[in-house]
Amino acid sequence: MTEPRILQGLREIAGDYDAILCDAWGVIHNGRELFPGVAEALTSFRRERGPVLVLTNAPRPSDVIPAQLDRLGLPRDAYDGVVTSGDATMHAAHSLGDKVFYRIGPAKDDGLFDAMNLKLGSFEEAEAIFCSGLEDDLTETPEDYRELLEKAAKRDLPMVVANPDIVVRFGDRMMFCAGALGELYEQMGGTQILGGKPHAPIYDLARDRLAKIAGDVPERILVIGDGLGTDILGANNQDLPVVFIAEGIFSEEVRGEDGKLSAAKLSQELKSQDVYAAYGMDTLAW
């Protein structure tokens, strides 16, 4: 397997593609600020090539994401729409039927629970769990939930996980996501149900959205992301070419002593995770 081609700008390959599925956290922003050059890159691709969809594992309905991107400074003309793990997970939760769910997740995810219209209840009466994240993702770790999850696993409660991400980089630190709880639950023998990246449901929704925007599903779709087990693996599963961005959670592993993205180190990291990226970039730029 050849080493990823290191790009200086998206313009080097833009002519080969008709649409983009672009991750948000770790590619567009770090939770606190927009990365330099991102707005120009996405706006230029939209103007010269085709639609851009923000494809994010955010455990929220897609209609709340544009306002968040507004606050970070990404202009609306940089993308055509948003598809979230929250969107994909709604289908997964309702497929379980009219069950009573025990909620695990922060108050900021109230919008997702309101939109889903789930029957919520206490842990004692729950028939399933819906997890959108840690209650306090700034201070808690998955170990804070071990006792609760052990009890749930003994009762064989299925757990719908709204965000498959294990961690994200929040500013200069790592923050645990719902996927970390799902991973721990699975290790205990529990069943987790996922709809976001790298799983197929979110890509099915993305293609449907692209078809509505472009009149048909574009043939040449490029994926951009930073997560090896989510963005890169998901693209591989869908047979879509992918650009790895080094600003995200694997920043330290893939950069050389000069601080720049190393093709050799990136190739080694990809191989260790059994995934492949055709391209790599330090940060998304045009």
Side-chain angles (χ1 to χ4, degrees):
M1 189 175 293
T2 59
E3 288 186 349
R5 174 183 168 188
I6 304 302
L7 307 174
Q8 300 305 309
L10 191 59
R11 62 163 60 91
E12 297 174 37
I13 59 170
D16 296 330
Y17 300 101
D18 307 310
I20 281 177
L21 301 179
C22 185
D23 184 38
W25 209 312
V27 174
I28 293 175
H29 64 83
N30 64 4
R32 292 179 176 172
E33 57 190 3
L34 197 71
F35 292 130
V38 167
E40 180 189 7
L42 297 181
T43 302
S44 297
F45 184 91
R46 264 191 90 223
R47 182 179 61 248
E48 299 187 16
R49 298 301 308 158
V52 171
L53 273 189
V54 176
L55 191 69
T56 170
N57 268 350
R60 298 173 188 85
S62 55
D63 58 7
V64 308
I65 303 300
Q68 296 175 357
L69 296 176
D70 288 346
R71 290 192 291 271
L72 291 167
L74 185 69
R76 293 284 179 106
D77 59 2
Y79 60 100
D80 294 88
V82 179
V83 174
T84 68
S85 179
D87 296 336
T89 307
M90 286 187 191
H91 298 279
H94 288 296
S95 71
L96 294 177
D98 190 29
K99 292 186 180 296
V100 176
F101 284 84
Y102 178 70
R103 168 180 173 168
I104 299 176
K108 64 185 177 183
D109 292 338
D110 285 351
L112 173 63
F113 288 93
D114 292 343
M116 294 191 66
N117 196 30
L118 295 176
K119 186 187 297 183
L120 300 177
S122 67
F123 182 76
E124 288 70 27
E125 62 185 337
E127 301 167 281
I129 296 173
F130 191 99
C131 176
S132 65
L134 286 68
E135 300 284 349
D136 185 349
D137 50 22
L138 293 179
T139 62
E140 292 181 327
T141 75
E143 285 301 313
D144 293 307
Y145 293 82
R146 178 174 289 278
E147 183 178 352
L148 176 70
L149 295 180
E150 286 176 342
K151 292 178 180 178
K154 288 179 181 178
R155 291 172 54 192
D156 200 25
L157 301 182
M159 183 162 77
V160 178
V161 179
N163 178 359
D165 285 353
I166 306 299
V167 295
V168 293
R169 186 179 293 278
F170 183 66
D172 57 357
R173 56 164 298 198
M174 293 295 189
M175 184 172 72
F176 286 106
C177 301
L181 295 183
E183 183 179 63
L184 178 60
Y185 192 54
E186 193 168 68
Q187 290 170 2
M188 296 174 177
T191 299
Q192 60 168 331
I193 300 170
L194 305 111
K197 298 178 287 186
H199 306 282
I202 194 170
Y203 296 95
D204 295 339
L205 289 178
R207 286 188 173 91
D208 288 345
R209 188 67 183 277
L210 284 174
K212 292 177 181 177
I213 293 168
D216 199 357
V217 180
E219 292 186 8
R220 304 181 300 174
I221 301 173
L222 179 68
V223 176
I224 303 176
D226 71 304
L228 299 188
T230 51
D231 304 305
I232 311 303
L233 177 58
N236 291 173
N237 290 343
Q238 297 293 316
D239 292 322
L240 296 173
V242 59
V243 181
F244 170 85
I245 301 296
E247 283 283 10
I249 57 177
F250 290 93
S251 176
E252 295 180 3
E253 290 86 346
V254 300
R255 287 193 161 117
E257 294 182 0
D258 59 359
K260 294 182 179 180
L261 176 61
S262 161
K265 283 197 169 186
L266 173 55
S267 183
Q268 182 178 0
E269 195 66 29
L270 292 166
K271 186 177 181 180
S272 73
Q273 300 289 325
D274 197 25
V275 293
Y276 172 72
Y279 312 103
M281 294 179 69
D282 265 304
T283 185
L284 182 54
W286 182 244

